């Protein structure tokens, strides 16, 4: 029984899931399991950096630290569409509110808007509550062929699309990482493969490593039009009970972001909702969900799951 | 490198990034950023390039010296950073007038009031010794200050 180790930055777990899916979809295997796990206390995938610090450009020629990198991405959205820090902060308010109902979340504390805005700044516009916490975690998913699945269940969850993209050329990348283009390409391909549109989704678990990122992905995943993400969070459309619930789990902002586990965990979350097993945070009647992960460098995975 | 480290006389300032050059007479002659232009499609890059990410051309690439002025495209104000660094700092993406972007610390802004008024601020490059490497050579970084057109 072969075992493969996968490393693909923040998209590690979801890339492992996709490898498992491909090995079953190709007919090579009947059953495969994707396991994602990470101990961030040991710095996880980031721990390998033994390079000289003398010539590090951090803090003398800009930043490569993630809160700042995703801060810059959010600030670019401010520039284009007039989005405000308050609108980004509302993402943290929503996700932390959702987390109260998730026993698997690292933090299950509501953070009102005022608290988010007044929290310690990490990299403006991201404050402490707008950054995912560091934590360990694990998740696993079992995939099998339709034929094999019949032995176990009458109601399987189907993988309607599995997509992995990398960066095409865009002018400022990688001086300024482009977190948008590869997600846009991935979502277009995923909707096409699943034969659905964004309006057919009942829920989304997306990569909210920072609050700024979540708003950008509303547009990248085509949940709203260009420049409408700020308005979408103002309306509360992405709360559980809203038009399209996003991060009903509380997101990475509440669950933490153990890199290897993250991509499997958000697929597991969707599966629980499609099975009606998500407890107090259940998105009622969920039949179709989308799980999105992005790793800089870059890799973006999108999985569309259907009941 | 060990030979270079042999005597103090042989010590020389080094750029912190490979896409910055220090002339023989630095600091009397200013340091500058350089890169390449793809002859096929015109895409510009900081430093060397073996293939063009835009069009796939493997060259030839034309080496070019970039000017020292530009404007702020985007930014973040970093408060939490690695131990030993002074914070907060403005970590910007500066679009140089010559058509490439560079990560940069920008000075001369009211750091307590980040906001949309920072977009498009005119900036000019200056260089500064930021550290000394283990061989005793000065490490020189490129930084930017707001000029507001002055
Ligand atoms: Zn080219």
């Amino acid at each position: 029984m072969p075992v493969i180790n996968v490393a693909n930055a923040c998209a590690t777990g979801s890339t492992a899931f996709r490898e498992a899916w491909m090995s079953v979809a190709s007919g090579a295997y009947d059953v495969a399991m994707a396991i994602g796990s990470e101990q961030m206390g040991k710095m996880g995938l980031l721990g390998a950096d033994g390079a000289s610090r003398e010539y590090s450009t951090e803090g003398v020629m800009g930043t490569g630290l993630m809160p700042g990198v995703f801060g810059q991405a959010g600030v670019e959205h401010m520039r284009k569409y007039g989005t405000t820090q308050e609108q980004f902060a509302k993402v943290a308010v929503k996700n932390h509110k959702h987390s109260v109902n998730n026993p698997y979340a690292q933090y299950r504390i509501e953070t009102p808007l005022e608290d988010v805005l007044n929290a310690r700044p990490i990299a403006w516009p991201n404050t402490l509550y707008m950054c995912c916490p560091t934590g360990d975690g694990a998740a696993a998913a079992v995939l099998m062929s339709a034929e094999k699945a019949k032995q176990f269940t009458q109601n399987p969850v189907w993988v309607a699309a599995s997509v992995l993209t990398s960066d095409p050329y865009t002018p400022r990348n990688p001086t300024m990482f482009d977190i948008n283009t590869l997600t846009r390409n991935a979502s277009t391909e995923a909707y096409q493969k699943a034969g659905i549109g964004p309006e057919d989704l009942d829920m989304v678990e997306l990569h909210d490593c920072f609050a700024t990122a979540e708003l950008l992905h509303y547009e990248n995943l085509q949940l709203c039009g260009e420049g409408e993400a700020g308005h979408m969070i103002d309306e509360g459309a992405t709360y559980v009970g809203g038009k399209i619930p996003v991060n009903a789990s509380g997101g990475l902002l509440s669950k933490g972001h153990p890199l290897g586990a993250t991509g499997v965990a958000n697929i597991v979350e969707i599966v629980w909702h499609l099975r009606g097993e998500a407890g107090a945070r259940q998105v009622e009647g969920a039949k179709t969900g989308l799980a999105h992960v992005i790793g800089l460098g870059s890799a973006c995975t999108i999985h569309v799951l259907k009941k | 490198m060990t030979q270079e480290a042999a005597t103090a006389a042989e010590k020389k300032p080094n750029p912190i990034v490979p896409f910055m050059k220090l002339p023989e007479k630095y600091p009397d002659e200013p340091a500058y950023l350089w890169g390449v232009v793809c002859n096929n499609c015109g895409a510009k890059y900081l430093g060397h390039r073996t293939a063009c990410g835009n069009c796939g051309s493997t060259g030839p690439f034309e080496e070019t010296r970039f000017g020292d002025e530009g404007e702020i495209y985007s930014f973040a104000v970093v408060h939490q950073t690695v131990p030993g660094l002074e914070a907060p700092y403005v970590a910007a993406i500066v679009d140089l007038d010559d058509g490439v972007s560079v990560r940069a610390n920008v000075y001369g802004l009211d750091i307590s009031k980040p906001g949309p008024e920072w977009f498009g601020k005119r900036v000019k490059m200056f260089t500064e010794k930021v550290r000394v490497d283990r061989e005793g050579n000065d490490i020189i970084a490129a930084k930017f200050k707001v000029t507001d057109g002055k």
Side-chain angles (χ1 to χ4, degrees):
Chain A
M1 198 185 302
V3 173
I4 305 168
N5 282 281
V6 177
N8 207 9
C10 302
T12 293
S14 51
T15 301
F17 182 92
R18 179 175 156 78
E19 291 296 310
W21 171 79
M22 284 200 295
S23 66
V24 171
S26 70
Y29 298 95
D30 288 332
V31 183
M33 179 158 66
I35 305 169
S37 73
E38 195 88 58
Q39 289 183 295
M40 291 300 284
K42 295 172 181 171
M43 285 305 288
L45 295 163
L46 311 174
D49 178 28
S52 159
R53 300 237 174 261
E54 298 173 328
Y55 283 85
S56 163
T57 55
E58 182 58 41
V60 291
M61 284 186 71
T63 192
L65 300 174
M66 290 304 119
V69 165
F70 282 88
Q72 290 169 345
V75 169
E76 181 185 44
H77 200 270
M78 286 182 174
R79 180 182 182 126
K80 286 182 175 166
Y81 305 115
T83 316
T84 62
Q85 186 193 25
E86 190 173 307
Q87 287 173 319
F88 289 123
K90 284 178 180 175
V91 169
V93 175
K94 170 183 69 75
N95 290 357
H96 289 139
K97 187 175 170 66
H98 287 166
S99 76
V100 173
N101 291 321
N102 186 358
Y104 297 100
Q106 188 178 350
Y107 290 100
R108 302 174 65 186
I109 305 160
E110 279 203 55
T111 56
L113 183 60
E114 207 167 284
D115 293 8
V116 175
L117 289 169
N118 290 331
R120 184 160 61 88
I122 302 298
W124 191 94
N126 286 315
T127 68
L128 181 66
Y129 296 155
M130 296 163 76
C131 303
C132 61
T134 301
D136 302 343
V142 177
L143 295 96
M144 57 185 76
S145 64
E147 197 56 38
K148 189 79 180 173
K150 283 180 192 160
Q151 291 177 22
F152 299 93
T153 178
Q154 297 304 307
N155 302 300
V157 169
W158 299 88
V159 179
S162 173
V163 173
L164 172 62
T165 58
S166 193
D167 282 336
Y169 169 87
T170 51
R172 292 185 186 84
N173 195 9
T175 293
M176 179 178 178
F177 288 114
D178 178 1
I179 69 166
N180 302 309
T181 310
L182 78 172
T183 299
R184 286 170 185 233
N185 290 352
S187 69
T188 299
E189 192 181 332
Y191 292 132
Q192 195 183 6
K193 282 189 169 153
I196 61 166
E199 66 282 358
D200 299 316
L201 295 172
D202 298 309
M203 64 177 300
V204 170
E205 288 286 310
L206 62 74
H207 202 74
D208 62 325
C209 47
F210 298 91
T212 45
E214 178 164 320
L215 276 200
L216 273 54
H217 293 318
Y218 289 174
E219 291 166 27
N220 296 335
L221 297 174
Q222 305 167 44
L223 306 179
C224 66
E226 285 297 302
E228 292 172 7
H231 181 61
M232 198 176 192
I233 192 76
D234 283 342
E235 280 193 315
T238 50
Y239 275 88
V240 172
K243 187 176 143 231
I244 173 70
V246 172
N247 289 332
S249 64
L252 305 184
L253 292 183
S254 312
K255 289 187 298 184
H257 181 18
L259 310 187
T262 290
V264 183
N266 70 359
I267 288 168
V268 169
E269 178 73 13
I270 301 268
V271 169
W272 281 336
H273 284 269
L274 298 189
R275 288 179 180 161
E277 295 171 355
R281 66 187 186 284
Q282 177 69 41
V283 172
E284 289 305 328
K287 290 190 173 64
T288 306
L290 181 151
H292 159 260
V293 177
I294 182 173
L296 291 186
S298 296
C300 173
T301 57
I302 290 182
H303 286 93
V304 176
L305 305 178
K306 281 169 105 168
K307 200 148 91 170
Chain B
M1 288 307 270
T2 49
Q3 280 180 340
E4 275 182 292
T7 67
E10 288 170 15
K11 283 178 187 170
K12 60 179 179 59
N14 281 331
I16 195 164
V17 287
F19 54 84
M20 181 170 133
K21 274 187 184 157
L22 305 179
E24 277 301 314
K25 291 180 183 166
Y26 179 84
D28 295 330
E29 266 181 49
Y32 58 93
L33 302 182
W34 69 279
V36 294
V37 182
C38 174
N39 276 343
N40 187 47
C41 75
K44 292 177 178 179
Y45 299 93
L46 292 169
H48 277 299
R49 195 78 197 181
T50 49
C52 178
N54 186 37
C55 74
S57 162
T58 51
F61 294 94
E62 201 176 310
E63 208 172 297
T64 184
R65 174 180 175 150
F66 297 122
D68 61 358
E69 289 188 55
E71 62 179 51
I72 295 177
Y73 176 68
S74 191
F75 61 87
V77 181
V78 179
H79 290 258
Q80 180 82 42
T81 188
V82 294
L85 279 182
E86 233 176 273
Y89 48 88
V90 177
I93 302 297
V94 167
D95 283 354
L96 293 179
D97 294 341
D98 284 340
V100 286
S101 303
V102 62
R103 292 182 189 182
N105 274 35
V106 172
Y107 300 87
L109 293 159
D110 180 354
I111 210 158
S112 68
K113 292 194 179 78
E117 30 321 315
W118 289 8
F119 297 134
K121 283 268 186 206
R122 296 291 304 166
V123 294
K124 189 174 167 63
M125 192 180 110
F126 65 99
T127 54
E128 196 174 271
K129 170 186 163 184
V130 290
R131 251 168 250 137
V132 175
D133 73 14
R134 66 190 65 171
E135 272 120 30
N137 304 304
D138 289 352
I139 301 175
I140 310 297
K143 299 181 169 187
F144 286 78
K145 62 183 175 220
V146 172
T147 59
D148 271 337
K150 276 172 266 175

